[in-house]
Amino acid sequence: MQNKTVLRIAVQKSGRLYEDSVKLLKECGIDLRNVKDRLKTVSENFPLEVFFLRDDDIPEYVEDGVADIGIVGQNVLGEKGRQVKLVESLGFGKCRLSIAIPKNMEYDGVSTLQGKRIATSYPTLVKDFLSKHNVQASIHEISGSVEIAPGIGLADVVADLVSSGGTLFMNGLKEVETILDSQAVLVSNNKLDQERMAILEKLLFRIRSVKRANKSKYVLLNAPNDQLEKIISLLPGMRSPTVLPLAESGWSSVHCVLSEEEFWDKIEQLKAAGAEGILVVPIEKMIL
Ligand code: ATP
Ligand code: ZN
């Protein structure tokens, strides 16, 4: 088994993307043992080697080919400007890079930022945003705890990552502009050889099946036969819904897959159409 080609993936060593990245690989059926506190690990059942790194370094490692692929936030990718290929959005690590100002400061559009001192860990993205809006401001790059900068007099405003907004609120700041919407993405080196490309394709097939499943629910419901046609017309299906007779005459059991976005709307419509005993179950994998 020696010298077998493996695909090398870089994921965050610890932090907000770590858990979801490892969970995704596990959901793809990739066995990763003794993950914690290790620099790297090789899967026993899939040709994948995992490197655990600081997220800021991942684009560079992938560009240089030290790792073949990586999982990183679009915010880091945009800031670093490395030449890597964006392969797939992963649907976790969602956040936005926003401008936030002290809550009592008046705000009258981006021009309000003219001449201000902006603290951020994302100088490149902030500079691009300001120049797009013809605003001159001085950027103070700091590597962490950006939200406290106005409070200690280091800056007038901040450009920081926000998800719920709770941290900003606790520091007396309000969000006024979104510079970038971000989530975790899978990136790859631009020149993967064929063998590694084939492993990536295999991995991608699994990732897409997991993503699809996470976005979908399996729904089982009971329907009176005289409403069956109407209920079926409300439902999408992988092909069409499954319809089975119930022991009680005049009733059927209908099974289908619903996506998360349309889920609640559909359930309401189904109930209104006479559906009863609706069961909703998670789907582990969805292979098309
Ligand atoms: P590292 O030690 O790897 O450099 P870090 O401190 O730079 O870690 P984390 O705070 O763990 O990074 O965030 C990693 C990524 O998680 C961010 O770059 C971003 O893509 C994503 N993220 C999602 N929500 C948030 C949020 N509310 N605040 C910060 N990052 C978030
Ligand atoms: Zn970082």
Side-chain angles (χ1 to χ4, degrees):
M1 292 291 270
Q2 236 149 39
N3 296 329
K4 207 178 86 182
T5 303
V6 295
L7 190 71
R8 297 156 304 167
I9 184 171
V11 305
Q12 195 188 19
K13 185 175 166 57
S14 66
R16 291 173 195 263
L17 300 183
Y18 169 80
E19 301 260 341
D20 284 329
S21 302
V22 170
K23 181 166 152 252
L24 176 66
L25 295 176
K26 287 188 173 159
E27 284 174 342
C28 287
I30 296 167
D31 196 359
L32 299 174
R33 275 172 223 179
N34 310 319
V35 158
K36 263 280 171 216
D37 301 324
R38 292 191 46 181
L39 186 65
K40 55 182 188 171
T41 185
V42 183
S43 172
E44 306 253 330
N45 67 351
F46 193 85
L48 192 76
E49 181 167 22
V50 187
F51 295 163
F52 297 99
L53 301 166
R54 283 201 60 196
D55 66 347
D56 312 65
D57 298 332
I58 291 175
E60 184 179 344
Y61 278 114
V62 173
E63 181 186 63
D64 293 349
V66 175
D68 302 307
I69 60 174
I71 296 178
V72 69
Q74 285 168 306
N75 52 310
V76 171
L77 205 57
E79 179 64 26
K80 303 289 176 191
R82 296 286 177 167
Q83 297 301 311
V84 295
K85 204 188 294 173
L86 202 163
V87 180
E88 184 84 4
S89 303
L90 299 175
F92 60 82
K94 287 191 177 163
C95 60
R96 51 197 186 274
L97 178 63
S98 290
I99 305 245
I101 66 173
K103 67 172 186 290
N104 298 325
M105 187 181 196
E106 274 192 40
Y107 191 75
D108 195 22
V110 186
S111 61
T112 309
L113 302 172
Q114 181 70 32
K116 296 279 191 291
R117 294 169 304 160
I118 307 181
T120 188
S121 304
Y122 296 89
T124 307
L125 290 172
V126 174
K127 251 178 238 159
D128 289 351
F129 174 81
L130 294 175
S131 67
K132 225 190 298 164
H133 289 87
N134 292 318
V135 168
Q136 265 88 47
S138 61
I139 295 175
H140 292 250
E141 183 178 353
I142 46 180
S143 61
S145 303
V146 170
E147 68 283 355
I148 65 167
I152 59 172
L154 188 71
D156 304 307
V157 306
V158 303
D160 202 5
L161 295 179
V162 187
S163 44
S164 68
T167 309
L168 291 183
F169 183 78
M170 281 193 311
N171 284 280
L173 300 172
K174 63 181 177 189
E175 208 178 335
V176 291
E177 300 285 344
T178 303
I179 296 177
L180 176 83
D181 278 307
S182 178
Q183 62 174 293
V185 292
L186 186 73
V187 292
S188 88
N189 179 271
N190 277 324
K191 296 188 220 97
L192 282 194
D193 61 38
Q194 267 190 334
E195 263 180 296
R196 290 197 169 87
M197 194 61 108
I199 303 172
L200 175 57
E201 283 302 322
K202 223 167 149 176
L203 177 65
L204 264 181
F205 177 80
R206 295 188 186 190
I207 289 177
R208 288 178 182 144
S209 302
V210 169
K211 265 177 64 183
R212 223 177 277 125
N214 287 345
K215 275 200 274 176
S216 306
K217 300 278 178 247
Y218 195 74
V219 177
L220 304 91
L221 57 87
N222 294 336
N225 285 348
D226 54 4
Q227 290 290 8
L228 209 49
E229 213 170 309
K230 172 139 192 234
I231 285 174
I232 289 172
S233 73
L234 292 169
L235 299 174
M238 294 254 283
R239 290 218 185 271
S240 59
T242 306
V243 180
L244 303 164
L246 283 188
E248 186 179 335
S249 74
W251 284 80
S252 298
S253 169
V254 179
H255 303 190
C256 70
V257 173
L258 286 183
S259 78
E260 204 150 58
E261 296 109 61
E262 58 178 1
F263 179 74
W264 287 110
D265 280 348
K266 284 286 180 200
I267 294 291
E268 278 163 24
Q269 292 168 18
L270 289 167
K271 280 184 68 170
E276 288 182 10
I278 304 175
L279 285 183
V280 180
V281 287
I283 300 173
E284 193 175 307
K285 310 277 187 306
M286 214 162 126
I287 320 289
L288 294 185

